[in-house]
Amino acid sequence: GQSLEQPSEVTAVEGAIVQINCTYQTSGFYGLSWYQQHDGGAPTFLSYNALDGLEETGRFSSFLSRSDSYGYLLLQELQMKDSASYFCAVRQRGSGNTPLVFGKGTRLSVIA
Amino acid sequence: DGGITQSPKYLFRKEGQNVTLSCEQNLNHDAMYWYRQDPGQGLRLIYYSQIVNDFQKGDIAEGYSVSREKKESFPLTVTSAQKNPTAFYLCASADLRQQGEKLFFGSGTQLSVL
């Protein structure tokens, strides 16, 4: 099986940088994904790291280190609209398609 | 526009009643999923399907049933055996030929017990 650990809540100031960590335990997986969900809304895909290293998409970057069983999502130039929950997710290696397993999510509050 | 549609947005269930949540997608995705979301619990997998007429149980399948008679549709029935059905239900789809980790979610159904 697999389990993912994330902080439950993070608070940061508008314009600042925040890092949301995700540690995982799994016997083998394809990569680490990140999703954003605003209150009452649908989760939306942010990024996917298949390989170790940093992936950058605008203000958001995601990092993966398989040797450390660790990844993070980095949000720069924080805006009020970034207040949301962020989930890391993995898909375990197996026969056929295996579904995504999500962490419990980190609620980010951006304050003025 | 292509997308994934869930209905209804809000649903109320009476004691002992079965209710069905609708999920339709026009993205031509083979894979579809149902997740349940409780406050502070993240997303937990109920059922998933990779192909028409085939589906697999997820981590919390007890008290739920699904069907996949058409590629576009993956309805979820919450049966009377599910004793704590109040939750936010999310349907998703994915194109496994491209990036299987990129799920497209519907806007969700909030189910409450009367």
Side-chain angles (χ1 to χ4, degrees), chain A residues 30-31 33 35 37 40-45 47-48 87 90-91 95-105, chain B residues 9 31 33 35 37 40-43 45 48-50 59 88 90 96 99-108:
Chain A
Y30 292 102
S33 302
Y35 284 77
Q37 184 183 29
T44 56
F45 174 83
S47 67
Y48 172 62
F87 298 88
V90 296
R91 190 162 66 89
S95 58
N97 170 48
T98 56
L100 273 179
V101 175
F102 288 82
K104 292 187 176 183
Chain B
K9 190 170 179 63
Y33 309 84
Y35 288 90
Q37 187 172 32
Q41 293 296 313
L43 283 72
L45 183 67
Y48 66 104
S49 169
Q50 303 176 56
D59 299 321
F88 190 51
L90 287 159
L96 301 177
Q99 199 170 358
E101 282 73 17
K102 184 174 182 178
L103 266 57
F104 293 79
F105 283 87
S107 56

Side-chain angles (χ1 to χ4, degrees), chain A residues 26-101:
Chain A
T26 179
S27 55
F29 70 104
Y30 292 102
L32 186 68
S33 302
W34 288 93
Y35 284 77
Q36 178 192 59
Q37 184 183 29
H38 287 98
D39 284 347
T44 56
F45 174 83
L46 288 178
S47 67
Y48 172 62
N49 291 68
L51 304 174
D52 283 6
L54 192 67
E55 294 279 344
E56 298 182 62
T57 308
R59 293 189 297 114
F60 293 4
S61 302
S62 57
F63 173 82
L64 174 64
S65 169
R66 289 175 182 267
S67 59
D68 295 324
S69 298
Y70 164 74
Y72 65 73
L73 180 69
L74 190 73
L75 295 82
Q76 303 181 74
E77 302 173 16
L78 279 173
Q79 302 175 9
M80 300 300 286
K81 67 178 182 180
D82 297 329
S83 293
S85 292
Y86 294 84
F87 298 88
C88 58
V90 296
R91 190 162 66 89
Q92 191 174 18
R93 288 190 181 275
S95 58
N97 170 48
T98 56
L100 273 179
V101 175

Side-chain angles (χ1 to χ4, degrees), chain B residues 40-99:
Chain B
Q41 293 296 313
L43 283 72
R44 293 184 292 167
L45 183 67
I46 306 173
Y47 269 99
Y48 66 104
S49 169
Q50 303 176 56
I51 196 170
V52 174
N53 292 323
D54 187 47
F55 47 83
Q56 288 79 40
K57 292 182 179 180
D59 299 321
I60 56 166
E62 186 174 352
Y64 301 97
S65 66
V66 293
S67 63
R68 187 86 187 277
E69 297 177 1
K70 299 186 302 181
K71 187 176 185 178
E72 300 79 18
S73 179
F74 191 41
L76 174 74
T77 296
V78 183
T79 74
S80 57
Q82 174 48 246
K83 299 306 180 186
N84 183 24
T86 297
F88 190 51
Y89 290 86
L90 287 159
C91 180
S93 69
D95 182 354
L96 301 177
R97 294 166 296 177
Q98 301 217 6
Q99 199 170 358

